[in-house]
């Protein structure tokens, strides 16, 4: 009886974690008659995994490092910044910035991070992200890295990956070097590996897709199918024409996504009979992007100019979802150089929400915006709208 219990126990263990043949008693095979793998596959058709999460002590630091008189920085000249720990549990560091030993026209800004000697006996894991700040637009120069400072290692130095070249900084002074000062946003997370709770949580999962994941996969497949349909002229029943460039499409799809196209195809218009719609108010790139959204519900590679063109096209052809997508992009990417254009577009299309976002931006960046060349041109060419904008901003302060 005890022998049979041991056999069943080993069989169950194999079905759960698939132990090797050598670890299983011979009698297991006589019970299962060599069909263990088949039994396991029937019971657990999908691979199982177990995950466990351990919490560790972590200290985060975020700060701005301003390097003054940057253009006067010479080769091998170093700028230092001590980073003091907020606690005695994680080490302090010394950050060093200098020009990499490369040709003068192609020098990278190099940053090194050195752990304080008092903590060389402690192993430390560090994650860092450094962003070069810009004055007129959103930062785009960023790099991040992970480093492990080994215990007992003399003078452990973390050489951070290159972020930006000196030539780019000097070539775009207005963006990067206002008052000849380079500003770096530094974000670090440090841990000595000490655990707060050995096991905080565990979870078990199977590779089998749940209903929500299956639905998502199905939608993604549907999107790809519709995209392929948009580029296949064989089954199209309408052609959109810009100049001499033809865009095959389908009346049913266009009507479902655009109230203007729907009205056009429901009436007895010349376009309905000829099967050709000539568009004189769009360029080919904007139409291509609008059709991609109509067929797939997604837009790619947006910038402010493209978003503004798509916004106008979506409003004219009543593609409301696309209009909202472009409006959200414009609101999230407002800058001193484009806020006047966004307010003008919003006014043209009577979009009070987008106009209010532009006014809010100017409220927050008033001095910088009102001194810009873009605002001076806006005031000269769109005097009434500029006055209305200032009035709206003034009313915000009064409320």
């Amino acid at each position: 009886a005890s022998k049979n219990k041991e056999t069943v126990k080993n069989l169950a263990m194999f079905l759960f974690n698939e132990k090797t043949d050598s670890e299983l008693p011979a009698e297991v095979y006589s019970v299962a008659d060599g069909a263990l793998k088949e039994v396991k596959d029937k019971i657990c058709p999908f691979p199982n995994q177990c995950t466990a999460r351990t919490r560790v002590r972590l200290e985060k630091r975020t700060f701005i490092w301003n390097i003054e008189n940057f253009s006067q920085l010479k080769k091998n000249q170093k700028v230092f910044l001590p980073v003091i720990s907020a606690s005695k549990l994680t080490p302090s560091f010394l950050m060093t910035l200098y020009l990499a030993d490369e040709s003068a026209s192609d020098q990278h800004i190099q940053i090194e991070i050195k752990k304080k000697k008092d903590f060389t006996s402690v192993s430390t894991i560090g994650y860092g992200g450094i962003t070069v700040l810009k004055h007129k637009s959103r930062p785009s120069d960023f790099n991040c890295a992970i480093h492990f400072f080994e215990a007992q290692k003399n003078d452990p130095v973390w050489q951070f990956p290159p972020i930006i070249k000196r030539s780019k900084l000097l070539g775009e002074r207005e963006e990067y070097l206002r008052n000849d000062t380079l500003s770096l946003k530094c974000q670090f997370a440090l841990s000595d590996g000490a655990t707060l709770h050995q096991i905080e949580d565990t979870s078990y999962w199977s590779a089998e897709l749940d209903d929500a994941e299956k639905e998502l996969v199905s939608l993604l497949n549907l999107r790809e199918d519709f995209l392929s349909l948009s580029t296949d002229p064989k089954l199209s029943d309408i052609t959109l024409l810009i100049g001499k460039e033809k865009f095959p499409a389908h009346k049913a799809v266009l009507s479902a996504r655009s109230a203007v196209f729907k009205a056009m195809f429901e009436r007895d218009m010349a376009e309905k009979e000829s099967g050709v719609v000539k568009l004189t108010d769009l360029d080919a790139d904007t139409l291509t992007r609008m059709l991609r959204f109509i067929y797939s519900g997604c837009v790619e590679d947006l910038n402010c100019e493209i978003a503004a063109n798509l916004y106008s096209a979506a409003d004219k052809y009543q593609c409301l979802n696309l209009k909202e997508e472009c409006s959200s992009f414009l609101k999230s990417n407002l800058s001193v150089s484009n806020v006047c254009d966004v307010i003008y577009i919003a006014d043209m299309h009577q979009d009070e929400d987008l106009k209010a976002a532009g006014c809010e931006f100017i409220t927050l960046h008033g001095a910088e915006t009102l001194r810009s060349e873009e605002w001076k041109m806006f005031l000269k060419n769109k005097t009434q709208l500029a006055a209305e904008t200032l009035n709206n901003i003034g009313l915000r302060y009064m409320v």
Side-chain angles (χ1 to χ4, degrees), residues 146-278:
I146 296 175
H147 186 75
F148 180 64
F149 291 97
E150 295 182 47
Q152 307 299 338
K153 188 174 181 180
N154 293 327
D155 297 328
V157 175
W158 177 7
Q159 191 169 64
F160 205 81
I163 304 171
I164 192 170
K165 292 184 178 180
R166 179 175 182 271
S167 57
K168 183 175 181 179
L169 295 172
L170 297 178
E172 300 180 45
R173 288 174 180 266
E174 284 299 311
E175 280 281 13
Y176 294 105
L177 299 176
R178 180 164 295 183
N179 299 322
D180 202 18
T181 299
L182 173 64
S183 297
L184 303 176
K185 182 178 181 180
C186 305
Q187 298 170 290
F188 290 96
L190 304 166
S191 175
D192 59 1
T195 58
L196 301 181
H197 298 285
Q198 190 61 32
I199 297 294
E200 182 193 60
D201 188 25
T202 60
S203 60
Y204 299 86
W205 61 274
S206 169
E208 181 181 14
L209 299 179
D210 60 25
D211 291 341
E213 290 170 327
K214 288 178 181 177
E215 184 177 354
L216 178 60
V217 171
S218 178
L219 288 173
L220 291 174
N221 289 335
L222 181 63
R223 172 184 290 180
E224 292 302 314
D225 291 341
F226 265 83
L227 272 177
S228 63
L229 183 67
S230 69
T231 58
D232 187 355
K234 294 178 182 178
L235 298 176
S236 67
D237 55 4
I238 194 74
T239 299
L240 306 181
L241 192 65
I242 294 182
K244 295 182 179 179
E245 195 165 353
K246 298 179 180 180
F247 298 84
H250 306 80
K251 293 178 185 177
V253 178
L254 296 182
S255 298
R257 303 283 276 169
S258 162
V260 172
F261 280 123
K262 183 179 181 182
M264 187 185 298
F265 299 139
E266 285 179 344
R267 299 171 188 166
D268 293 326
M269 300 178 69
E271 291 87 352
K272 180 180 178 181
E273 299 301 323
S274 66
V276 177
V277 178
K278 294 181 180 180

Side-chain angles (χ1 to χ4, degrees), residues 22-193:
S22 60
E23 294 173 303
L24 291 169
E27 57 266 23
V28 170
Y29 293 96
S30 62
V31 173
D33 195 23
L36 285 179
K37 189 67 172 67
E38 182 181 344
V39 174
K40 175 179 170 59
D41 289 342
K42 288 181 179 179
I43 296 175
C44 304
F46 299 98
N48 297 306
Q49 277 195 7
C50 166
T51 62
R53 182 173 61 186
T54 300
R55 294 182 60 194
V56 297
R57 183 166 58 214
L58 189 71
E59 181 179 322
K60 296 182 179 180
R61 309 174 199 172
T62 300
F63 54 91
I64 304 296
W65 185 9
N66 291 317
I67 297 95
E68 298 179 352
N69 302 317
F70 174 81
S71 63
Q72 300 176 28
L73 190 65
K74 296 181 176 60
K75 182 179 176 182
N76 297 325
Q77 180 182 350
K78 296 184 177 183
V79 181
F80 301 98
L81 177 72
V83 183
I84 308 301
S85 173
S87 70
K88 296 181 179 180
L89 301 176
T90 53
S92 297
F93 286 82
L94 179 67
M95 296 182 67
T96 306
L97 180 144
Y98 60 92
L99 299 177
D101 190 15
E102 301 169 2
S103 64
S105 61
D106 203 34
Q107 288 176 310
H108 273 100
I109 306 305
Q110 187 64 59
I111 294 175
E112 290 183 351
I113 302 166
K114 185 175 180 180
K115 189 167 65 168
K116 191 176 178 183
K117 287 186 177 181
D118 294 354
F119 280 85
T120 53
S121 61
V122 180
S123 294
T124 307
I125 301 170
Y127 167 82
I130 299 179
T131 305
V132 184
L133 297 182
K134 302 170 81 170
H135 293 282
K136 291 187 177 180
S137 57
R138 288 181 168 238
S140 56
D141 303 285
F142 169 80
N143 211 336
C144 61
I146 296 175
H147 186 75
F148 180 64
F149 291 97
E150 295 182 47
Q152 307 299 338
K153 188 174 181 180
N154 293 327
D155 297 328
V157 175
W158 177 7
Q159 191 169 64
F160 205 81
I163 304 171
I164 192 170
K165 292 184 178 180
R166 179 175 182 271
S167 57
K168 183 175 181 179
L169 295 172
L170 297 178
E172 300 180 45
R173 288 174 180 266
E174 284 299 311
E175 280 281 13
Y176 294 105
L177 299 176
R178 180 164 295 183
N179 299 322
D180 202 18
T181 299
L182 173 64
S183 297
L184 303 176
K185 182 178 181 180
C186 305
Q187 298 170 290
F188 290 96
L190 304 166
S191 175
D192 59 1

